[in-house]
Amino acid sequence: MSHFNFFKAEKVYGELYLQFPRVLLYSDKYSKLSDSAKIAYMVFRDRLHYSLKNNWVDQESNFYFIFTNHELGNLLNKSENTVTKIKKELVSSGLLITKKMGFDPIKKRNIPDHLYLADLEVEATDVYLLQKQSESLSNQGTVKIEARDNTSESPINQGTAKIKAREKVLERQLNQGTANNEVNLYLTKSFKDCKENKNRLDSELISQAFDPATKNREQEEELIESYIKESSFDFIYGEELTRAFKTYCFYDFETFQTYCNKLIFAHKSVEKEKNLTLSLFEGTKYCDYTREELKSTFMRCIQTQRYGKAKNIAGYLFISFKNVFESLAEAVEKDYSLKNS
């Protein structure tokens, strides 16, 4: 048993992929979809796992899922307008239905749309095209092997010349090394300086928010509410954390946005490092605990700032939020390991 080659958690998560159905490439019905629309379809299809897990089923027993424009835009690095076009493209192709859920008068915000994804239709002609493509690739393999056999002597004869050419290139690279190193050092230093300046400016912005407000409170509050509504921030991260951000930005929109950016960047950073999707939607296993931890962490950071103990409050916020998401990732990985052990 000591020699058993177990699947480790990091390896399993490192090999998780989105499935790309071939019919999206070869079918006449779907091949003209844009690349972004095809990727969005795969992302939406992956999100259906949460629907199964959370039992998101409507009255007609159809599975729906939730994916805000803001979330999809961040994931695909696309603007709000581009995301809207991508969704419209999927809708016009019969692959997506968007159901408006209206306005919640109690919470005073729009309820996120329910999205329904259609299964791909595969016709007999699509199967035929896939088979022809496979046969074509197989025949090309045989031709390439024969071509390599016929030219096997050529690389041997050319070997000496290639080695000498590589030696000359290496010599030139070595001669250029000192200059390149100086440039690399300069670029690295410049990047670090830019990052430090960004954190310094964010920290100054947060610090200024603790001074008496000089901006128009109504306008700032309107901008904050608009941001929350458009990004569904409170739906993703909870109303309590959103309320805390609003309280301690002192009706300064830029400060509120800085809080949100540090949180979202920490969230996405851990997801990228761990190759996981860490959902905080209501009903998921660690939702309540993680939301409470995020709020407590934020309040500790604010107290540290108010007592003047944080030299770089922006960086301190990011690192503190990231620690919470790393703990969540460890719990999710542990659950996955136990489930598959």
Side-chain angles (χ1 to χ4, degrees):
M1 197 66 178
S2 59
H3 298 292
F4 190 80
N5 191 20
F6 287 97
F7 265 101
K8 299 298 183 183
E10 59 270 17
K11 181 172 178 62
V12 172
Y13 280 105
E15 293 182 352
L16 292 177
Y17 304 98
L18 293 175
Q19 292 184 339
F20 194 114
R22 290 188 181 184
V23 70
L24 286 176
L25 292 176
Y26 299 114
S27 171
D28 290 337
K29 187 173 183 178
Y30 307 120
S31 61
K32 291 182 175 60
L33 284 171
S34 66
D35 293 342
S36 295
K38 292 173 183 176
I39 293 172
Y41 180 85
M42 291 188 294
V43 171
F44 289 159
R45 193 161 180 164
D46 185 65
R47 178 55 63 87
L48 286 176
H49 293 301
Y50 286 106
S51 302
L52 292 168
K53 196 172 185 180
N54 299 323
N55 198 31
W56 286 348
V57 185
D58 63 15
Q59 294 178 347
E60 298 175 0
S61 299
N62 296 321
F63 276 104
Y64 66 87
F65 63 98
I66 295 169
F67 215 119
T68 65
N69 286 358
H70 183 73
E71 185 183 5
L72 185 61
N74 283 339
L75 187 64
L76 300 182
N77 195 25
K78 302 290 184 184
S79 67
E80 191 89 9
N81 289 336
T82 304
V83 168
T84 302
K85 289 178 182 178
I86 290 171
K87 281 188 172 181
K88 284 183 178 178
E89 191 177 353
L90 291 172
V91 170
S92 63
S93 299
L95 293 176
L96 184 70
I97 292 177
T98 302
K99 185 178 181 181
K100 298 289 184 183
M101 300 308 296
F103 184 78
D104 188 335
I106 298 175
K107 296 182 179 180
K108 295 182 179 180
R109 64 173 176 82
N110 288 326
I111 302 170
D113 297 344
H114 285 185
L115 304 179
Y116 296 83
L117 197 67
D119 198 4
L120 295 168
E121 296 178 6
V122 182
E123 299 176 358
T125 52
D126 299 328
V127 176
Y128 173 75
L129 286 172
L130 287 170
Q131 288 175 343
K132 292 292 290 182
Q133 181 69 16
S134 299
E135 289 173 7
S136 176
L137 290 172
S138 299
N139 293 334
Q140 287 176 9
T142 306
V143 173
K144 286 181 179 179
I145 291 169
E146 290 176 355
R148 284 198 296 268
D149 290 341
N150 293 333
T151 58
S152 59
E153 293 181 3
S154 180
I156 297 173
N157 297 331
Q158 296 172 358
T160 306
K162 287 186 176 179
I163 290 171
K164 289 182 178 179
R166 282 198 297 269
E167 287 175 350
K168 288 182 180 179
V169 172
L170 180 59
E171 185 178 350
R172 285 200 302 272
Q173 290 174 342
L174 289 172
N175 292 333
Q176 295 171 358
T178 305
N180 286 339
N181 286 339
E182 290 177 359
V183 172
N184 289 335
L185 286 171
Y186 173 77
L187 291 174
T188 304
K189 185 176 183 298
S190 299
F191 174 76
K192 288 181 179 178
D193 289 344
C194 289
K195 188 175 180 182
E196 288 172 2
N197 288 337
K198 177 68 170 61
N199 281 333
R200 178 175 56 78
L201 291 171
D202 286 342
S203 297
E204 289 176 359
L205 181 66
I206 294 171
S207 299
Q208 289 169 6
F210 284 83
D211 296 331
T214 57
K215 297 184 179 180
N216 185 306
R217 174 168 170 169
E218 289 184 5
Q219 290 180 355
E220 295 295 302
E221 190 169 8
E222 187 177 339
L223 286 171
I224 290 169
E225 292 300 330
S226 177
Y227 176 90
I228 294 170
K229 185 184 295 184
E230 289 177 4
S231 65
S232 297
F233 185 86
D234 54 343
F235 179 76
I236 298 171
Y237 295 104
E239 292 183 359
E240 289 191 14
L241 181 62
T242 306
R243 199 177 300 117
F245 279 12
K246 288 169 65 177
T247 301
Y248 290 98
C249 75
F250 302 100
Y251 300 100
D252 184 272
F253 172 65
E254 290 184 357
T255 302
F256 178 84
Q257 198 172 33
T258 299
Y259 292 156
C260 296
N261 288 343
K262 296 302 172 186
L263 175 68
I264 293 168
F265 185 50
H267 189 175
K268 299 302 179 186
S269 178
V270 174
E271 285 189 327
K272 185 176 180 181
E273 289 173 7
K274 301 289 187 179
N275 195 23
L276 289 171
T277 299
L278 301 174
S279 175
L280 292 182
F281 288 122
E282 201 159 329
T284 53
K285 184 174 181 180
Y286 297 104
C287 168
D288 293 339
Y289 175 79
T290 304
R291 286 181 176 182
E292 183 60 37
E293 279 296 298
L294 287 171
K295 182 193 171 186
S296 301
T297 298
F298 174 70
M299 295 306 299
R300 285 197 300 271
C301 291
I302 291 299
Q303 288 296 328
T304 303
Q305 167 67 13
R306 297 193 75 167
Y307 290 124
K309 295 181 180 179
K311 293 181 180 179
N312 181 357
I313 182 61
Y316 185 47
L317 273 171
F318 169 73
I319 292 170
S320 301
F321 285 144
K322 189 176 181 183
N323 288 336
V324 176
F325 286 116
E326 284 177 344
S327 298
L328 173 60
E330 288 175 6
V332 171
E333 287 176 336
K334 187 176 179 181
D335 283 351
Y336 190 88
S337 298
L338 291 172
K339 184 179 179 180
N340 292 275
S341 61

